[in-house]
Amino acid sequence: RRICLFCDNQANSQEHVWPDWALRELRLVPQQRRQTIKGSPVRLLNRLALKVQCVCGTCNSQWMSAMEKTCRPLIGSMMKDLSLWLDEKQQETVALWATKTAMVIDAIRDDLFYTRSECERFRLYQSIPNDTQVWMGRIAIKAVGIYGTDFDIFESAETEDVIADGYANTNVIGHLVTQVVSGRARPAYSQAGITFKSRSGQWDQLLTKVWPPKGTANWPPLATLAHRGNGRTSLATLTARWKIGKNISPPNVGSGTA
């Protein structure tokens, strides 16, 4: 018996990753999508609708439905490529919607990143978890896609000490891209603050930060993400920007003759 992600009821309802109203308005042509979870074999899906059975009917029809109605004017405008200025309250609205989607996608797997307490606080108080940041960007073509990435957060580039675990979720709907990144300190470092370090890139031009909000935010950002390829402004680079890797010295290899 699976329990609702946000309360103690049975998870007897499916939550849409991309809302039905959004898919209807985008009028996308269904194409094969690749799905893989934590290295599992790739599945080819021929439908646009993607549902996750992780919530109860009460949550789905009440507070989640109310949140969707609140978000629809903003999300609907940006996914259809309409320019907007967002005040801090509107930025919070987008951040809540993006975080809810990240939590739902996280529920596809068994070892969830977001804790029970964080999900319950999200339902009760619309409280975004601590050490979470949210950005939005624009992609060149109209599309849908969802990408999740786990990563380690190191104390510094010079040490092997992992001080926190990280999770990033990137969601594409129409021309709108949202990225949620959350961190959780490991017990030995619970008093230390988490600093997110990403790969170098044109992030100030490609993305607009909406959480925590600060002043007015504009959409679209100055630069646009490419849908294909692996260039510095591509969607692939964005989804992998938190996997910074570590510098490993090559082993000493002697030379000589036989």
Side-chain angles (χ1 to χ4, degrees), residues 2 5-6 15 17 37-38 50-55 98-116 118-119 129 146-151 166-170 180 182 184:
R2 192 169 188 182
L5 187 62
F6 299 101
E15 169 65 0
V17 173
I37 301 171
K38 296 196 71 174
L50 179 60
K51 302 177 184 179
V52 183
Q53 187 162 333
C54 63
V55 298
T99 302
K100 184 265 295 180
T101 303
M103 287 178 164
V104 168
I105 288 297
D106 185 41
I108 290 177
R109 56 187 184 174
D110 295 327
D111 52 336
L112 305 187
F113 178 85
Y114 294 107
T115 66
R116 187 74 179 163
E118 288 171 334
C119 292
I146 197 83
Y147 311 87
T149 304
D150 293 310
F151 60 97
Y167 170 67
N169 174 271
T170 306
V180 179
S182 297
R184 177 166 302 104

Side-chain angles (χ1 to χ4, degrees), residues 53-67:
Q53 187 162 333
C54 63
V55 298
C56 68
T58 300
C59 283
N60 205 352
S61 63
Q62 293 185 7
W63 70 268
M64 296 177 79
S65 178
M67 178 180 288

Side-chain angles (χ1 to χ4, degrees), residues 171-185:
N171 184 19
V172 180
I173 181 166
H175 288 281
L176 173 64
V177 180
T178 61
Q179 186 171 76
V180 179
V181 60
S182 297
R184 177 166 302 104

Side-chain angles (χ1 to χ4, degrees), residues 20-258:
D20 274 345
W21 62 263
L23 295 178
R24 287 195 302 270
E25 292 184 13
L26 288 172
R27 298 179 181 177
L28 294 170
V29 177
Q31 296 179 342
Q32 280 195 335
R33 289 186 293 105
R34 295 165 58 87
Q35 176 181 294
T36 179
I37 301 171
K38 296 196 71 174
S40 65
V42 174
R43 296 173 59 202
L44 296 179
L45 306 179
N46 293 306
R47 62 184 186 277
L48 288 175
L50 179 60
K51 302 177 184 179
V52 183
Q53 187 162 333
C54 63
V55 298
C56 68
T58 300
C59 283
N60 205 352
S61 63
Q62 293 185 7
W63 70 268
M64 296 177 79
S65 178
M67 178 180 288
E68 199 69 43
K69 289 178 181 177
T70 301
C71 297
R72 182 170 178 173
L74 287 171
I75 301 301
S77 296
M78 291 186 288
M79 74 178 193
K80 290 186 282 190
D81 218 15
L82 300 178
S83 300
L84 293 176
W85 289 94
L86 284 74
D87 60 27
E88 291 192 357
K89 183 61 178 176
Q90 291 171 317
Q91 292 172 58
E92 181 181 12
T93 297
V94 174
L96 285 168
W97 182 84
T99 302
K100 184 265 295 180
T101 303
M103 287 178 164
V104 168
I105 288 297
D106 185 41
I108 290 177
R109 56 187 184 174
D110 295 327
D111 52 336
L112 305 187
F113 178 85
Y114 294 107
T115 66
R116 187 74 179 163
S117 175
E118 288 171 334
C119 292
E120 288 181 345
R121 285 181 57 81
F122 189 83
R123 169 179 64 89
L124 293 171
Y125 310 112
Q126 294 195 350
S127 173
I128 293 175
N130 294 332
D131 295 312
T132 293
Q133 298 180 23
V134 184
W135 293 262
M136 59 184 184
R138 177 187 181 271
I139 194 165
I141 69 169
K142 191 168 58 174
V144 291
I146 197 83
Y147 311 87
T149 304
D150 293 310
F151 60 97
D152 293 331
I153 301 173
F154 292 88
E155 185 174 24
S156 69
E158 290 73 34
T159 72
E160 297 291 331
D161 297 331
V162 178
I163 65 170
D165 301 301
Y167 170 67
N169 174 271
T170 306
N171 184 19
V172 180
I173 181 166
H175 288 281
L176 173 64
V177 180
T178 61
Q179 186 171 76
V180 179
V181 60
S182 297
R184 177 166 302 104
R186 295 191 174 181
Y189 299 92
S190 59
Q191 302 303 315
I194 295 177
T195 300
F196 295 109
K197 297 178 182 178
S198 70
R199 295 180 180 181
S200 62
Q202 302 174 30
W203 309 125
D204 289 343
Q205 289 76 44
L206 289 166
L207 301 172
T208 297
K209 195 172 188 178
V210 293
W211 187 263
K214 185 177 180 181
T216 303
N218 65 298
W219 194 92
L222 297 174
T224 295
L225 290 158
H227 182 247
R228 299 191 182 280
N230 295 290
R232 289 175 59 83
T233 63
S234 69
L235 177 64
T237 300
L238 172 66
T239 62
R241 72 170 175 142
W242 303 105
K243 291 192 171 184
I244 59 175
K246 292 187 66 64
N247 295 322
I248 300 175
S249 299
N252 294 322
V253 179
S255 61
T257 58

